Amino acid sequence: MNFFVIALLSILTVLASPPSKVDEDWELLLDSQLTNWENYLSYRHKPGYNGKVPTDENGKEVLPIGYNKDETGVFTVLEGEDGPVLRVSGEIYGSIFTKKSYKNYHLKLQVKWGEDKYEPRKDLLKDSGILYHSIGEAGVEYWRSWMLSQEFQVMEGHMGDFWCQASSAIDIRSFPSEGDKMSPVADSAQPFRPFQSGGDVFCLRSANFETPDNGWTTLELLTFEGKSLHIVNGNVAMVLENSRYINEEGMETPLIEGKIQLQSEAAEVFFKDIQIRPILELPMDYAGLFDE
């Protein structure tokens, strides 16, 4: 084969090759069949719920709906203009969660609110959440709906708040609380303070970065070796480190990997462009936020 033929074949091969993908290290987690997800549903919670297992009129404990029994369509996929959209009705408390566990990653998605709200939040703000480092069985926290995990709150005006779930604990750069009068507020210039059962279990985001008029809001979670960042529309809403939980022996145990849950919490919410990629370190733009 002469040089001209070899060169011609090389050119044709290049022309026939598909264009390279942008950000090909991202893994898309959402498809029309929810291939990467399972679900868990607990109860239709009512006002006055006190954290105990609900009982019927005879005082008998009511069983949760359980795993992968979403017969009412709490979690469905719609076809959007630019790809699949996950609709979470919120009608029953629970979550849709990844089949796989993840460690050291960058999660990115978009979220916006629907119209529907249900008891016990009909007169409250619309609510959901991203629960990360989720381990063990569902139904172990106050609402008996979710796994032990750390919460990146998804809530009207509160995108990026934090909640402990079950016995999880973490340290957050924040202003201190003032008892029951004022919640702690995240601030990247403040020292790290502990959040765990017996003390503060909730922290407000540093500011409201949600897209106005219910436009799509981009949320990003970066987590690496127990450190994490809650990012809303490109703005750092919270800096967290030393992710851990209290085990059955009362000992602190690192909590640095697990499944990802998206909450169903009495409000209709939509998610799209759910994607994840592994990271080998925190990006340089953010690494300094953890310096002492």
Side-chain angles (χ1 to χ4, degrees):
M1 187 177 292
N2 62 37
F3 175 79
F4 175 77
V5 174
I6 294 173
L8 179 60
L9 288 174
S10 298
I11 293 171
L12 291 175
T13 299
V14 171
L15 291 175
S17 300
S20 59
K21 295 180 180 179
V22 178
D23 292 334
E24 60 184 6
D25 54 340
W26 287 98
E27 175 190 357
L28 297 176
L29 292 181
L30 184 61
D31 61 30
S32 61
Q33 301 300 314
L34 292 174
T35 305
N36 299 302
W37 303 83
E38 297 185 79
N39 65 75
Y40 176 86
L41 295 173
S42 62
Y43 310 102
R44 297 174 186 269
H45 289 300
K46 301 177 181 179
Y49 180 73
N50 62 2
K52 297 180 180 180
V53 175
T55 56
D56 62 20
E57 60 274 10
N58 298 317
K60 184 178 180 180
E61 289 189 352
V62 178
L63 295 176
I65 294 172
Y67 292 96
N68 301 314
K69 297 178 181 178
D70 183 16
E71 297 177 358
T72 58
V74 173
F75 307 106
T76 56
V77 178
L78 311 176
E79 189 57 42
E81 293 182 358
D82 52 357
V85 176
L86 172 65
R87 175 183 181 263
V88 180
S89 75
E91 186 175 357
I92 303 171
Y93 273 50
S95 76
I96 186 168
F97 60 90
T98 57
K99 294 178 179 178
K100 292 171 54 178
S101 291
Y102 296 92
K103 178 183 179 182
N104 297 340
Y105 59 86
H106 182 179
L107 174 73
K108 181 166 59 175
L109 56 79
Q110 291 187 284
V111 62
K112 70 179 301 183
W113 301 108
E115 296 295 326
D116 298 334
K117 292 198 291 185
Y118 301 90
E119 296 291 0
R121 301 197 60 84
K122 277 196 169 183
D123 298 320
L124 300 174
L125 297 173
K126 293 171 184 171
D127 199 2
S128 181
I130 303 167
L131 305 184
Y132 57 102
H133 301 339
S134 305
I135 61 173
E137 295 298 317
V140 297
E141 40 49 73
Y142 177 84
W143 291 100
R144 299 188 178 272
S145 302
W146 306 300
M147 304 174 203
L148 191 163
S149 54
Q150 311 289 16
E151 179 169 358
F152 181 136
Q153 172 121 295
V154 177
M155 186 179 189
E156 286 182 295
H158 289 267
M159 298 288 189
D161 287 357
F162 170 83
W163 281 99
C164 293
Q165 291 292 346
S167 65
S168 72
I170 207 163
D171 300 335
I172 304 175
R173 286 199 182 277
S174 58
F175 288 101
S177 65
E178 293 191 1
D180 58 356
K181 296 181 180 178
M182 185 179 296
S183 296
V185 181
D187 187 285
S188 60
Q190 295 300 306
F192 285 100
R193 292 184 168 84
F195 288 76
Q196 64 186 63
S197 179
D200 291 321
V201 297
F202 167 73
C203 187
L204 283 164
R205 76 288 180 273
S206 58
N208 178 18
F209 301 117
E210 185 175 356
T211 302
D213 302 320
N214 197 28
W216 287 101
T217 295
T218 300
L219 305 180
E220 297 176 78
L221 168 67
L222 283 92
T223 178
F224 183 78
E225 298 298 335
K227 299 176 179 179
S228 54
L229 292 163
H230 295 185
I231 300 175
V232 182
N233 282 333
N235 302 283
V236 175
M238 191 169 293
V239 182
L240 314 90
E241 71 171 14
N242 193 20
S243 177
R244 59 198 185 277
Y245 71 99
I246 313 302
N247 65 22
E248 293 180 354
E249 288 74 40
M251 303 293 291
E252 291 191 348
T253 305
L255 182 61
I256 60 175
E257 64 180 305
K259 298 180 179 181
I260 299 166
Q261 305 175 82
L262 301 178
Q263 291 176 306
S264 173
E265 196 171 358
E268 183 183 29
V269 60
F270 298 93
F271 296 95
K272 71 173 184 176
D273 298 337
I274 306 173
Q275 49 191 310
I276 193 169
R277 65 179 175 182
I279 57 174
L280 300 177
E281 60 184 354
L282 288 172
M284 291 184 61
D285 291 348
Y286 299 124
L289 294 173
F290 295 91
D291 293 342
E292 296 297 336

